[in-house]
Amino acid sequence: MINQSFYSYLLSILHLLLIIHSTCSNDELTTSLKSESTRTHWINMIFGSLVSMLIGILISSYINHYQLRDIKITFQSSKEELLNMYSRDIESRKSKEVKGLSNFIPLTPYKYVHIDETTSPIIAEDLIIQAKRTKKFTIVFHGDILSKELFIEIELIQKFQSIITRIEIFKNSTPVYDRIKQLLSVIIDASNTIQTWGDINKNLFHYKDYGFFIYDKLQTVRLIDIRQDFKLWYNATFSHSTNCGQIIDFIDIDGPLCSCSHRPYKSSTDTWSLWKAISYTFDENIYKTNSNIHECLAITKISKVIEEKWTGKQTLD
Ligand SMILES: [Zn+2]
């Protein structure tokens, strides 16, 4: 509203100035013509002012509309990020108390590399070499958006040994800054396969301000949402029990009539958490240890199972 009044006011003043200017320059007109001319000028002035105000209102309404849309997007993204972050955090804390699950075991051994603003550029350069040799990656976003402690965790999926790197997000232009930007540019490339758990684009708003993050590039690559593929594989592999009320024409979807203990979700629109996916499939707990560097490895493990069309029995062998 402030914008609206301001633009209208500005345009009205501009119009009045033009009228005054033209009135002053007509001093040499005869007296008889002057009264007629003054009336016409007043009508023009009022009409002109109204038109100016209308244009002002239209321009400011247009600007307001887009500002409001941006605010809505910001609010929506923040809300979703917060919900995601806290539900994962609660599940992580709760899951430590769950008994009967074994420690998570990745399918391949891995090497871990932590990167923050103090890391030597040589370490990042070595990762760039490794990333160039890799075609498949898994990406997870961690952190606390309120304290601005944000991390990107990436697994470089290689045949015999994966490399997990956790990059701490920062703004200072330290020697490693450009190397990280280069590393992310090599990884987030249309020629690579990038796996995620859920739609990560919804949760990236707070990463947008960090230069090396190449937020825009991430919007252009095809991300494979393993969570969606997992739901299809799990429901087909672990069908409803024969006495389950949800069996309708042998459709494997989740539903409110389901009484199966091996199917934790009772609505077709429910989404699997990564922790539940691993615990129901493998009887393993990804949060048993304090480190959460297992999330990438867990997504990769599930992707492999789906890709190789494992049976239920294979997952427990
Ligand atoms: Zn069922």
Side-chain angles (χ1 to χ4, degrees), residues 201 204-205 207-208 210-211 213-219:
N201 278 326
L204 296 180
F205 186 79
Y207 290 79
K208 206 170 92 164
Y210 297 88
F213 180 57
I214 54 170
Y215 175 83
D216 294 333
K217 205 178 169 193
L218 197 64
Q219 314 295 308

Side-chain angles (χ1 to χ4, degrees), residues 129-257:
I129 295 166
Q130 292 298 334
K132 284 179 179 168
R133 292 177 187 155
T134 312
K135 295 311 289 173
K136 199 183 246 185
F137 303 84
T138 299
I139 297 188
V140 166
F141 293 86
H142 285 293
D144 186 334
I145 54 171
L146 299 178
S147 68
K148 295 272 178 191
E149 280 179 3
L150 302 171
F151 301 91
I152 313 171
E153 186 188 303
I154 304 172
E155 179 181 354
L156 286 65
I157 306 169
Q158 296 180 347
K159 199 171 179 183
F160 300 108
Q161 187 192 49
S162 272
I163 300 166
I164 302 280
T165 178
R166 177 180 285 202
I167 303 165
E168 195 177 330
I169 304 292
F170 60 90
K171 276 184 175 165
N172 304 334
S173 188
T174 61
V176 76
Y177 186 95
D178 286 334
R179 295 283 88 82
I180 297 175
K181 195 171 177 176
Q182 199 185 340
L183 173 66
L184 291 174
S185 182
V186 169
I187 293 170
I188 303 167
D189 187 89
S191 66
N192 292 332
T193 301
I194 298 169
Q195 308 183 134
T196 65
W197 189 259
D199 181 4
I200 55 168
N201 278 326
K202 280 186 184 168
N203 306 316
L204 296 180
F205 186 79
H206 289 273
Y207 290 79
K208 206 170 92 164
D209 299 334
Y210 297 88
F212 66 63
F213 180 57
I214 54 170
Y215 175 83
D216 294 333
K217 205 178 169 193
L218 197 64
Q219 314 295 308
T220 63
V221 297
R222 195 169 73 91
L223 303 169
I224 312 243
D225 182 0
I226 299 300
R227 188 170 70 181
Q228 276 185 12
D229 296 344
F230 172 75
K231 189 175 183 165
L232 295 172
W233 171 83
Y234 187 90
N235 286 353
T237 309
F238 300 96
S239 307
H240 292 287
S241 311
T242 44
N243 58 347
C244 172
Q246 193 57 40
I247 296 186
I248 311 162
D249 296 332
F250 304 102
I251 297 172
D252 278 317
I253 58 166
D254 298 311
L257 300 175

Side-chain angles (χ1 to χ4, degrees), residues 2 10 29 37 52 81 92 101 105 119 133 135-136 195 207 222 241 251 253-254 261 273-274 276 313:
I2 293 165
L10 208 67
L29 288 174
S37 151
S52 306
E81 270 186 290
S92 152
L101 297 174
I105 303 165
T119 305
R133 292 177 187 155
K135 295 311 289 173
K136 199 183 246 185
Q195 308 183 134
Y207 290 79
R222 195 169 73 91
S241 311
I251 297 172
I253 58 166
D254 298 311
S261 60
S273 74
L274 185 59
K276 272 196 179 138
K313 191 179 172 298

